[in-house]
Amino acid sequence: MAFHPRERPIWRPPMSRREALRLMAGAAAAGGLLAGCGAGSSSSSAARVIVGTRKDPAKQPLYDDNPMIDSGLEPEKGPLRVYNWADYVYQRVLKDFEKEFGVEVELTTFYNLEEATRKLRTGKVNFDVFVPTAEIIPKFVAGKLLQPLNRDYLSNLKKNVWPMLADPYYDGGSRYTVPYTVYLTGIGWRTDMVSADIAAMDNPWEAFWDPEYKGIAGLYDDYRETVGVGMYKNGITDINGDKPGDLAATRDSLVELTNLVDIRYTIDGAYAKLPEGVFGIHHAWSGDMVNAPYYMPKGGDPSVLRYVWPPKAQGRAGGYVSNDSLAVLKGAEHPVLAHMFLNYMLGDKVAIKNFSWNAYQPPINTLKPDSLVSDGMIRENLASTVIEQDDFDMGQTPQQLTPEQDKRWLDAWSRVQQGG
């Protein structure tokens, strides 16, 4: 089961290992469901799942039975219904939108993409705005869960957003989505618990295999991200492939960690358990590490926290870089108001205010990466969490796997979770 950088387990009871494995098996089924849920025959529907890459960008298809809204319409009176990850939007920003547009905003949160997808597919939920990850957008388009955007309402897109994400590789021309946040996947550690300078290692991912860190090492409970760690440790950077030899070597390397370092799999390890001292080293999303100082116990020293994104540190080891997006759902009752909300979230001041709370960097031109530390938005010892446009050329972007590929990844992950 794929988790997400903004998942927070504190609002829902933790899952047992058995339940996690059961839900992971369902993730592949959810992917298959979306792959063939467009109009027409199954073969033509499947062909509409168009996956763009950085080297080969793609425009998502348009459908006659899923038109965009007309230009020049007045926004509906609301309420605007937003379906989002937990703790991923600043409530004050929503209140500001309510005040400016004279409407109510209703926020509903979901636990993971499987849950959200299943609810949206039933047609029994009624939301206007959704927050898809970049790699799942092609299947959401093929499944006609998103409606095409009318850019006449989105003046802030071209004006404020990084050009590479105003016209992204996975949704050329921003036909269905606008970018929301960007993030890196790297390694967080504490200098008072880890003696090595992990950023200086030839392959920083190998640090998780150091027996010195037994009992204090953690990885995310996320099959795409953590199988990726095993690949990077073995020098494999094709994190969108499923070569049997690569997956077998990755599986075996990750299984080693059970006895070698007593590895633990978490979702809150980087932003909460690392500052608490439960972990000394943890797999970490950049936004989680920006948040970590705020979880330091009273009297704790946040200056001991460090972060490395291996592609930038060494230029050889791999690392994920990706973004999340905002979209208007097909069948939204308030599509004009939803467009207004997307444009509002791309406003410079609004995006920066949201970043000041959720810690995930928006790809906004006026938010200069080289000034985030000097402006006090990011601590100096965590300056390596800052993301620049060029990082998308240095790292690897996860892409939508086919159901067959997804099953092979999940099989490898299941073996890892079972200890071999």
Side-chain angles (χ1 to χ4, degrees):
M1 179 182 60
F3 284 86
H4 182 270
R6 296 310 302 170
E7 279 194 53
R8 293 290 183 257
I10 55 176
W11 62 278
R12 180 166 171 167
M15 290 183 293
S16 67
R17 178 64 57 82
R18 181 175 294 177
E19 184 181 6
L21 290 174
R22 177 180 61 79
L23 289 177
M24 280 191 295
L33 175 67
L34 272 176
C37 62
S41 67
S42 58
S43 60
S44 63
S45 296
R48 295 189 183 116
V49 181
I50 299 175
V51 179
T53 67
R54 292 280 291 155
K55 293 183 179 179
D56 187 18
K59 286 184 180 291
Q60 292 301 321
L62 299 172
Y63 302 99
D64 291 341
D65 60 347
N66 185 21
M68 70 177 65
I69 60 172
D70 292 334
S71 300
L73 301 176
E74 290 296 317
E76 301 85 4
K77 297 186 181 299
L80 179 73
R81 298 185 175 97
V82 178
Y83 197 33
N84 198 353
W85 308 90
D87 298 330
Y88 205 23
V89 64
Y90 194 6
Q91 287 283 353
R92 185 174 297 174
V93 167
L94 299 183
K95 293 295 182 184
D96 291 345
F97 180 83
E98 289 180 329
K99 183 176 180 180
E100 180 167 333
F101 287 86
V103 298
E104 180 184 354
V105 176
E106 295 179 358
L107 174 65
T108 302
T109 61
F110 53 84
Y111 185 56
N112 56 57
L113 273 177
E114 183 196 10
E115 173 191 326
T117 300
R118 290 191 181 280
K119 287 185 177 179
L120 293 173
R121 284 291 301 136
T122 66
K124 296 179 181 178
V125 293
N126 184 18
F127 302 114
D128 300 304
V129 175
F130 183 59
V131 188
T133 58
E135 64 269 22
I136 204 169
I137 288 168
K139 285 191 175 181
F140 269 62
V141 171
K144 299 184 183 178
L145 297 184
L146 310 179
Q147 66 173 260
L149 300 175
N150 184 332
R151 291 184 57 169
D152 287 349
Y153 296 100
L154 303 173
S155 59
N156 285 333
L157 179 62
K158 185 175 181 180
K159 181 175 69 173
N160 294 342
V161 174
W162 291 354
M164 58 162 293
L165 288 179
D167 183 19
Y169 68 91
Y170 53 83
D171 182 20
S174 293
R175 281 182 166 177
Y176 288 88
T177 62
V178 299
Y180 181 48
T181 61
V182 291
Y183 61 91
L184 309 171
T185 304
I187 304 164
W189 75 98
R190 295 179 58 118
T191 58
D192 58 345
M193 297 176 68
V194 170
S195 58
D197 181 359
I198 294 174
M201 295 175 61
D202 286 341
N203 184 350
W205 296 109
E206 292 180 350
F208 289 102
W209 279 259
D210 189 333
E212 180 180 343
Y213 308 133
K214 188 167 187 175
I216 61 169
L219 295 172
Y220 280 133
D221 193 356
D222 178 321
Y223 82 100
R224 284 300 302 269
E225 293 272 10
T226 299
V227 171
V229 170
M231 288 184 165
Y232 292 148
K233 186 262 184 182
N234 289 307
I236 301 165
T237 56
D238 182 12
I239 47 82
N240 295 302
D242 63 336
K243 295 178 182 177
D246 289 352
L247 285 175
T250 294
R251 177 199 65 214
D252 293 345
S253 292
L254 290 171
V255 167
E256 282 181 52
L257 294 175
T258 301
N259 294 323
L260 191 63
V261 296
D262 190 21
I263 197 72
R264 283 176 284 172
Y265 296 97
T266 79
I267 288 300
D268 64 344
Y271 77 89
K273 302 304 183 185
L274 191 70
E276 291 173 6
V278 175
F279 292 102
I281 177 173
H282 203 285
H283 193 190
W285 292 302
S286 52
D288 275 7
M289 288 304 295
V290 175
N291 254 332
Y294 301 99
Y295 287 82
M296 271 281 175
K298 186 175 181 180
D301 180 10
S303 70
V304 303
L305 298 173
R306 296 290 186 277
Y307 183 75
V308 62
W309 187 56
K312 187 172 284 187
Q314 298 299 333
R316 296 185 294 276
Y320 277 20
V321 55
S322 192
N323 69 283
D324 289 339
S325 302
L326 295 170
V328 180
L329 289 164
K330 183 185 178 185
E333 287 190 358
H334 313 104
V336 182
L337 188 62
H339 278 71
M340 300 292 186
F341 180 76
L342 267 57
N343 194 57
Y344 182 79
M345 295 301 294
L346 296 177
D348 291 339
K349 293 181 179 179
V350 173
I352 293 171
K353 179 183 286 190
N354 196 47
F355 172 48
S356 73
W357 183 84
N358 79 356
Y360 277 80
Q361 187 178 325
I364 298 296
N365 294 322
T366 56
L367 195 66
K368 302 299 183 184
D370 57 1
S371 67
L372 290 178
V373 173
S374 60
D375 289 347
M377 300 195 75
I378 293 177
R379 293 183 62 92
E380 185 172 0
N381 55 300
L382 295 172
S384 52
T385 61
V386 175
I387 306 167
E388 301 177 275
Q389 294 189 63
D390 290 346
D391 293 344
F392 278 78
D393 295 321
M394 298 171 62
Q396 291 77 45
T397 52
Q399 295 156 16
Q400 179 70 60
L401 300 175
T402 67
E404 294 77 18
Q405 290 176 316
D406 207 37
K407 182 180 184 304
R408 286 188 275 273
W409 275 66
L410 285 164
D411 286 346
W413 177 238
S414 179
R415 291 282 299 276
V416 170
Q417 293 279 279
Q418 295 171 33

